[in-house]
Amino acid sequence: MPTVTYAGTQVLVNEEGFFTDPEQWREEMAPEIAREAGIPALTEQHWQVIKHVRHEYELRGTGPTVRALGKTSGVSVKELYELFPKGPAKLAAKTAGIPKPRGCI
Amino acid sequence: MSERIVILGGGTGGTLSANRLRGMLDDDVEITVVDHDDDHVYQPGLLFVPFGLARPESLVRSRPRQLHAGIDYRRRGVERVDINKDQVHLEGGAVLPYDLLVIATGARLLPEETEGLAGPGRLPTVHTFYEYEGAEALAGALAAFDGGRLVVDVVDMPIKCPVAPLEFCFLADWYFRERGIRDAVSLTFVTPLDAAFTKPVAARALAGLLAEKGIELVTEFNTGSVEGGDGDDAGDRLVSFDGREVPFDLAVMVPLHGGAAYVDASAGLGDELGFIPTDPHTLQSTVRPNIFVIGDAAAIPTSKAGSVTHFEGEILTRNVARFLAGEELEPGFDGHANCFIETGFHKALLIDFNYDTEPLPGRFPAGVGLPLLRESRLNHLGKRMFAWLYWHILLPGRDIPGVAAAMPHASKHVPATTDH
Ligand SMILES: Cc1cc2nc3c(=O)[nH]c(=O)nc-3n(C[C@H](O)[C@H](O)[C@H](O)COP(=O)(O)OP(=O)(O)OC[C@H]3O[C@@H](n4cnc5c(N)ncnc54)[C@H](O)[C@@H]3O)c2cc1C
């Protein structure tokens, strides 16, 4: 399994760059992860989503889908795409140091 | 004192669990089924209506007549459930108290949640086959379509029968070939997923079939709106949240799905999409021990399909009986799903999977059975026979001979490396 260094600490990630152990995540790592994903700076709204995503993960064991995020994070789906272009559910999960959301079957 | 079981919804799951429970429990246990209309639609048949392969009226039967003797039927809409008082509030003011509640109210289509899909702004070029009237109207639109761009778009997951939109594409390819105008029609399948299907081995097989039939695949497309051109039809297009566009002359949309509306009005009952948090193995809800959930209404990680609902029925009803007897529940449900995928030209594919095992090639249910993940005429006959099985085996609550609720493992080819 690959390791990468964020905020001076080595962490384990999978082939797609998602944390395999969310316990290793620290808030200081988020801006670096985001930059790698093409988000130059994290705003207060980004943080609102990141914290929400971590909270949901702790509650349910998986990150929320875009639709669920739009209903529960206080940020609309349209705005979510502005904050995390291309894939809000995946990018927010990656930045928040949780595994890729399982999504639906 | 006699116990009262109330079952909300008289569709696939409500009907089959009522019939199974009636056969298992003593006569002094009261069973009441509630539904807001009397028309039981065989939903898998809706796929065939747009192509003139099924008459819509032939898919509908009386709801109460599918219920065995000794089951009460109440034709009323559910307004809300009070999970603290164990009461169901019906439209019109009546209150039904329960000792045990089975939720079987399925999934609801939410076209109004996508800009341009519902209301006065809806374009005449936009259709769906996911409900009765829509499927009928689409039959007319397809018959009148003599060339151009047809797109099939899944707005977002979860949806009922996730293979149905793919089947629609395959049948459309067949349909336009039969009409001799396939060259004049471009077919595009648009999905929010990163592949043709949710599971890798099946996704590759299905993507191969799409390519073989000349159907374009657009992935990771989260539909934000459906927009019209100015004046005439030209310029109609799907627009994704990240600004990509897919132009069309005829759009076949699978709208967003959510749980029944009363769930949102019932404090503490559902999740943000209106589905009920449920233990994936016992089918007991996690909101209250005396509430069980079957079918599309359950928030569990398996397909929303009639076959799943059938397999769940066996475990759910045993657990209801155990619960009433004060016994421990059996974590027996493995997420088993079994779907025929109609591929046109009188052929179909069969996939069989559960929570842990993705659809694999091989044979079902045993070595001499139906071919898995491979097109065959036998599977097409299986798909067509499903309607008969539905009314005569599934709904009465019987088991299909040779097909168990638990997924079979033998006679499947397990790949050397699985790429989950
Ligand atoms: C186009 C299409 C194709 C499909 N193809 C297949 C297939 O090939 N194979 C397969 O296995 N499955 C298929 N399915 C899926 C299958 O039909 C469903 O998964 C199955 O019917 C689910 O059963 P259910 O009991 O959960 O819900 P349903 O059978 O939908 O029943 C829900 C019931 O609840 C009632 N209800 C809802 N709200 C209220 C309320 N407030 N008050 C009172 N009553 C209410 C409704 O009237 C309805 O009767 C398909 C579905 C569609 C739409």
Side-chain angles (χ1 to χ4, degrees):
Chain A
M1 210 169 286
T3 57
V4 283
T5 308
Y6 292 125
T9 312
Q10 270 211 347
V11 297
L12 291 171
V13 296
N14 72 0
E15 316 77 56
E16 289 180 273
F18 288 90
F19 276 53
T20 49
D21 177 10
E23 291 290 308
Q24 294 189 313
W25 183 84
R26 298 285 170 274
E27 285 193 6
E28 312 82 86
M29 300 175 178
E32 277 181 47
I33 308 170
R35 262 199 303 281
E36 274 182 15
I39 303 162
L42 291 180
T43 63
E44 210 170 298
Q45 247 192 340
H46 282 109
W47 276 109
Q48 183 182 337
V49 177
I50 292 169
K51 286 185 178 152
H52 179 77
V53 161
R54 276 205 76 92
H55 177 71
E56 286 286 305
Y57 175 77
E58 275 151 29
L59 224 58
R60 308 183 190 210
T62 178
T65 61
V66 191
R67 236 184 115 193
L69 266 182
K71 292 208 186 257
T72 56
S73 68
V75 179
S76 74
V77 174
K78 228 185 184 119
E79 292 169 315
L80 283 164
Y81 270 93
E82 283 157 20
L83 295 172
F84 300 94
K86 297 248 136 50
K90 279 193 218 167
L91 287 190
K94 197 178 262 185
T95 313
I98 64 163
K100 185 171 163 181
R102 272 203 299 272
C104 302
I105 287 97
Chain B
M1 206 191 73
S2 71
E3 277 152 322
R4 290 158 305 189
I5 298 180
V6 172
I7 300 178
L8 303 183
T12 314
T15 303
L16 68 85
S17 42
N19 288 337
R20 277 180 184 264
L21 286 169
R22 190 66 291 165
M24 292 163 72
L25 300 171
D26 291 341
D27 287 349
D28 64 344
V29 178
E30 283 175 34
I31 302 177
T32 304
V33 173
V34 184
D35 204 299
H36 51 199
D37 65 55
D38 281 355
D39 297 330
H40 190 138
V41 178
Y42 173 63
Q43 297 175 51
L46 294 174
L47 168 70
F48 298 99
V49 171
F51 305 103
L53 295 170
R55 280 181 304 110
E57 320 82 70
S58 72
L59 307 175
V60 187
R61 297 196 183 180
S62 152
R63 227 182 256 301
R65 275 213 228 129
Q66 313 308 319
L67 296 169
H68 292 172
I71 298 168
D72 288 329
Y73 176 68
R74 291 285 291 265
R75 180 180 170 172
R76 268 281 181 280
V78 177
E79 213 167 66
R80 70 187 168 88
V81 178
D82 187 334
I83 62 172
N84 295 320
K85 292 198 181 133
D86 296 341
Q87 287 177 339
V88 177
H89 292 255
L90 301 178
E91 279 166 13
V95 175
L96 271 184
Y98 60 83
D99 297 300
L100 187 141
L101 186 70
V102 176
I103 294 186
T105 36
R108 179 171 54 118
L109 304 181
L110 302 167
E112 64 279 5
E113 289 199 10
T114 303
E115 216 178 293
L117 258 201
R122 210 196 83 179
L123 303 167
T125 49
V126 172
H127 289 265
T128 188
F129 65 99
Y130 261 58
E131 36 90 7
Y132 189 90
E133 286 81 16
E136 223 175 359
L138 180 52
L142 278 188
F145 192 73
D146 43 32
R149 292 158 302 189
L150 189 152
V151 307
V152 177
D153 178 39
V154 177
V155 175
D156 206 352
M157 305 298 282
I159 62 167
K160 297 194 251 194
C161 196
V163 296
L166 282 161
E167 296 181 274
F168 187 94
C169 293
F170 298 144
L171 285 173
D173 168 66
W174 164 81
Y175 173 85
F176 291 118
R177 274 183 212 283
E178 288 287 295
R179 282 184 48 196
I181 57 167
R182 181 64 180 88
D183 289 345
V185 178
S186 80
L187 292 173
T188 307
F189 177 59
V190 183
T191 169
L193 300 172
D194 57 11
F197 191 58
T198 49
K199 313 268 187 165
V201 175
R204 278 198 294 275
L206 291 166
L209 270 179
L210 287 172
E212 214 174 276
K213 294 175 191 289
I215 301 163
E216 196 194 338
L217 172 64
V218 176
T219 57
E220 293 190 275
F221 191 94
N222 272 80
T223 308
S225 57
V226 183
E227 297 183 14
D230 301 321
D232 56 32
D233 285 354
D236 294 352
R237 62 205 187 275
L238 310 174
V239 183
S240 71
F241 280 111
D242 59 359
R244 285 180 289 157
E245 297 194 349
V246 175
F248 65 81
D249 299 300
L250 183 68
V252 177
M253 305 294 297
V254 182
L256 293 175
H257 285 39
Y262 76 87
V263 177
D264 298 332
S266 308
L269 185 60
D271 66 14
E272 66 281 352
L273 302 183
F275 297 114
I276 317 293
T278 301
D279 182 288
H281 300 293
T282 63
L283 303 176
Q284 182 184 44
S285 80
T286 56
V287 295
R288 283 292 179 277
N290 63 339
I291 300 181
F292 287 74
V293 193
I294 186 165
D296 299 348
I300 55 174
T302 186
S303 286
K304 296 196 180 304
S307 64
V308 174
T309 308
H310 163 75
F311 296 133
E312 287 171 345
E314 195 180 321
I315 286 103
L316 175 121
T317 50
R318 276 212 299 271
N319 276 338
V320 165
R322 285 203 162 99
F323 182 83
L324 293 177
E327 294 165 11
E328 205 175 309
L329 304 186
E330 162 202 5
F333 187 59
D334 64 358
H336 190 188
N338 179 281
C339 308
F340 288 104
I341 305 175
E342 193 69 15
T343 53
F345 302 94
H346 314 294
K347 287 185 182 173
L349 210 88
L350 178 64
I351 58 175
D352 191 68
F353 57 103
N354 71 10
Y355 291 140
D356 307 315
T357 311
E358 65 169 318
L360 297 173
R363 295 253 168 195
F364 177 86
V368 290
L370 298 170
L372 287 166
L373 254 185
R374 198 152 56 69
E375 278 187 287
S376 89
R377 277 172 195 273
L378 215 54
N379 286 335
H380 165 75
L381 294 177
K383 173 104 188 172
R384 296 303 256 183
M385 212 174 77
F386 194 62
W388 187 90
L389 283 175
Y390 185 82
W391 297 111
H392 297 98
I393 305 280
L394 262 67
L395 292 186
R398 302 200 183 101
D399 298 326
I400 305 174
V403 179
M407 192 199 75
H409 285 276
S411 70
K412 285 190 181 176
H413 310 314
V414 183
T417 53
T418 40
D419 47 354
H420 272 289

